[in-house]
Every structure is written in C-alpha cells, then in structure tokens.
Amino acid sequence: MEKESIGRLVLTLTIIGIISALTLAFVYQWTTPYIKEHQAVAQEKAVFNVLPGAEKFEEVTKNGHTFYEGYNNAGSRVGVAYIATGGGFQGQIELMIGVNLNEEKIYGISILTHSETPGLGARITEDAYKSNFVNKPFGDYTVVKREAAEQTEVEAISGATISSEKVTTIIENAVSTIQSAYGGGM
Amino acid sequence: MASQLLDDFKNGLWNENPIFRLVIGMCPTLAVTNTTENGLAMGIATSFVLISSEIVISLIKKLIPKNVRIPSYILIIATFVTFTDYFLKAFYPGIAASLSLFIPLIVVNCLILGRQEAFASRNPVHRAIADGLGMGIGFTWALTLLGAVRELFGMGSIFGFQILGAWYKPMIIMVLPAGAFITLGILVGIMNLISREG
C-alpha cells in the first residue's frame, strides 16, 4: 500500500465533516419546531393533569426554580405545579407535582420521563401508584409493603420498592422546594 | 447477476443473521428487546442507518484513503444516526421516548461498521443495497422475535395486547437484562437445531 499524504487524509475528513454538518443543520431546522411542539403539549397536559380546576397557567421563576401557577376561570390561583427530578432505580426520574398551597396538600403527580424497569419500576406511571399522592397532606411519607392505612403512607409497587421510595423522596424534596419558594407554611 | 443479488440479500436473513449467527450488535439486542414494539422499532431504525450508510460508503469508497476509512465511516454513520434521532423525536415521540438513549448508540453498533468494512467498501452499490436490506431485515426480525418472546413470558402480552390471561404469573426475569441472555441462548440453540436438520 502506498503511503498517502497527510494533506489528503485531512482533506477527506474535512470534506466529510462539512457535508455531514450541513446535512444535520438542515435536519435540525426541519425537525426542531415539531420537537418543541411535542414538548410544549406534553408539559401543558402535565400541568393541567396535576392542577385540577385550572383553566390557564403562568410560568413563574422563584429562587431559580420554575413554577407553573394555575388559575381558574375566576382568576384565582388554584395551585402551583413544579417539575422535580431525582435519581431512580435506573437513571433520572422527572415528574410534575401539583400542590394546593392554601390547604397544604398535594393534588397529584405525573411522571414525565423515567428509565425504570418495564413491568416493575415503570409502574410508577400507573394510577394505582400515583393515587398514593392524590389529595395528600404535606408531610413525611413512609413507604409500606402493604395497603396504606394512613394518609402519609405510600403503598410500594411489589417488586419495585426502590423505585417507589425514590419517587417518594423526589416528592418530599419538591414539596419543600415549593414551600420555601412560596414562604414556608403559607 | 440477479441471483448474486438475491444471495447477498438472503445472506443476512438466515445464514449470516447478525444476531443469531454473527452475534454482533449485542448492545441494543440485549437492552431494548424487553417489548415487541421496542424490538421492532430498534430494528427499523438500525436498518435505515445500515442501508443509507452502505449506499453512501459504497459510492464514495474510492475517494476515501485507506488510513482514514474508519473515522470516515463513523462520521457518515453518525450523520444518519443523528438524522434518525431527530426524525423520531419529531414525528414518533412515543417511540423516541421508549428507546431514548439507544438511538444515539446505534453509532457504535458494530453490525453497521462491520458491514461497511466487510461489504460496502468492497462491493458495487447495488450489491451493497442488497446486503443492507438483507442484514437490516435479518436484524429486525431477530430483535422483534426476541422482544415478542420476552414480552410474552415477562408480561403476558405481545405488542401490548394481553395474550395470556390473569392466571398467568409473569416471569419478571424475562423483562430484566438476564432474560435477554436466556432468550438469546435458547433461540440460537433452536436455530442451530433447525439448520442441522435442514
């Protein structure tokens, strides 16, 4: 094999790199509006999902966190939603939580992204698990491996205790983030 | 001529099936085949990247100096993979969400680089297309079958439809990584048995 000049090697890779970058720039421009739209729709759905009674919402930044304040038709605030993330059993879990600040209770949660085991930890997205956090007062939650008897007890998914506990921790942290941004026990 | 193309095509379907015979591209094979739908989607995405890059590389093979052929191939493959990633996110957000990280990881799927090195860089473009189609379909059917077996035993369903009744207690191990190894081993065994008798 004859030795190839270094210039030819550099030139080849540069040309391929330029063509590749141009192609991808075009693809990026073409697909970005669609991707943004999907994300916006998903986020909007999640906000209305965790703030029952809300008709519109506003994005508010406090303490460096973004909150979604939901308002009803009469224009009064029904609650605040917040996107919380934390480690799960595998990878990050991102969820949206909606709270009623006046009554100090959680309206509900919605799992946005996760990479938990299908059939086990992935069941955190099912209503059976999410109902653990519907209309619950703020507080310290305990994960139990039986039917939840008290308001602050969370029934673990069988075979996925770690996922169940991780979500509970994310929610506890989220509640305290929201409370500190909105002035403690207001 | 036509029979050679047919041979190139059929090669990947059975005799040199990427998963059951060559046993390459194991990362997506083991990771995403926990449901039938994921297996099928991963197979199609990989096939698209495989066929497109085989065409391009076969066309420009004479222009690429030997010393930089691997980085050149990777650049071309990465371009098609990024395209696929954006395309799925824009038009099939559900599939994009369930495959997530494994789409970008197609870049390092050794099946794709392997076919460029072993086939596309040595053969004319029409044979490269036949090879890409055969290997792609071979990869896809194998992934879909793996996904179907694992989903059936692990969750009692196929393509999300409940097949087995409430009496069936799902074998959770089948949707975990260990289930992929077990299923793969059994399927390779069955394939060897069929080939020996035939």
Side-chain angles (χ1 to χ4, degrees), chain B residues 160-180:
Chain B
F161 295 109
Q162 208 64 33
I163 304 275
L164 302 174
W167 52 269
Y168 180 74
K169 194 172 180 311
M171 293 157 68
I172 282 160
I173 191 170
M174 293 304 275
V175 292
L176 295 174

Side-chain angles (χ1 to χ4, degrees), chain B residues 36 148 151-152 155-168:
Chain B
T36 326
E151 188 182 340
L152 181 66
M155 292 184 242
S157 59
I158 285 181
F159 280 116
F161 295 109
Q162 208 64 33
I163 304 275
L164 302 174
W167 52 269
Y168 180 74

Side-chain angles (χ1 to χ4, degrees), chain B residues 13-194:
Chain B
L13 298 185
W14 186 274
N15 286 337
E16 282 193 26
N17 185 284
I19 292 179
F20 295 138
R21 280 292 152 80
L22 304 182
V23 198
I24 55 177
M26 285 296 110
C27 158
T29 308
L30 299 173
V32 304
T33 56
N34 45 26
T35 66
T36 326
E37 193 188 339
N38 282 357
L40 180 65
M42 188 66 195
I44 293 171
T46 310
S47 302
F48 167 75
V49 174
L50 177 67
I51 297 164
S52 321
S53 44
E54 278 209 48
I55 293 172
V56 171
I57 286 165
S58 175
L59 283 173
I60 64 167
K61 59 180 181 287
K62 293 217 174 77
L63 302 174
I64 301 176
K66 280 270 178 295
N67 289 342
V68 289
R69 66 186 194 286
I70 302 289
S72 306
Y73 298 165
I74 291 288
L75 265 173
I76 293 163
I77 295 166
T79 309
F80 284 113
V81 169
T82 314
F83 171 85
T84 311
D85 193 26
Y86 282 134
F87 182 83
L88 287 178
K89 273 187 190 147
F91 301 105
Y92 299 94
I95 291 174
S98 73
L99 294 179
S100 64
L101 187 64
F102 290 100
I103 293 293
L105 279 178
I106 295 175
V107 176
V108 289
N109 188 324
C110 49
L111 163 66
I112 296 176
L113 188 62
R115 290 326 285 172
Q116 315 308 336
E117 181 76 356
F119 204 93
S121 60
R122 290 156 200 216
N123 290 295
V125 67
H126 57 278
R127 289 193 62 194
I129 294 173
D131 180 72
L133 277 173
M135 283 288 163
I137 295 171
F139 190 68
T140 307
W141 80 253
L143 279 193
T144 311
L145 178 64
L146 265 172
V149 171
R150 290 179 64 191
E151 188 182 340
L152 181 66
F153 289 105
M155 292 184 242
S157 59
I158 285 181
F159 280 116
F161 295 109
Q162 208 64 33
I163 304 275
L164 302 174
W167 52 269
Y168 180 74
K169 194 172 180 311
M171 293 157 68
I172 282 160
I173 191 170
M174 293 304 275
V175 292
L176 295 174
F181 285 103
I182 295 169
T183 315
L184 182 66
I186 293 172
L187 289 178
V188 170
I190 292 174
M191 233 181 115
N192 286 345
L193 205 64
I194 297 170

Side-chain angles (χ1 to χ4, degrees), chain A residues 1 3-4 8-10 12-13 16-17 19-20 23-24 27-28 30-31 34-35 38 90 117-120 158, chain B residues 34 60 62-68 71-72 75-76 78-79 82-83 86-87 89-91 93 155 172 175-176:
Chain A
M1 184 170 62
K3 210 162 157 48
E4 287 137 338
R8 173 115 197 273
L9 306 185
V10 172
T12 311
L13 285 179
I16 296 178
I19 295 173
S20 158
T23 315
L24 290 181
V27 172
Y28 181 78
W30 171 48
T31 54
Y34 295 99
I35 296 172
H38 288 307
Q90 296 172 329
T117 318
L120 294 171
S158 68
Chain B
N34 45 26
I60 64 167
K62 293 217 174 77
L63 302 174
I64 301 176
K66 280 270 178 295
N67 289 342
V68 289
S72 306
L75 265 173
I76 293 163
T79 309
T82 314
F83 171 85
Y86 282 134
F87 182 83
K89 273 187 190 147
F91 301 105
M155 292 184 242
I172 282 160
V175 292
L176 295 174

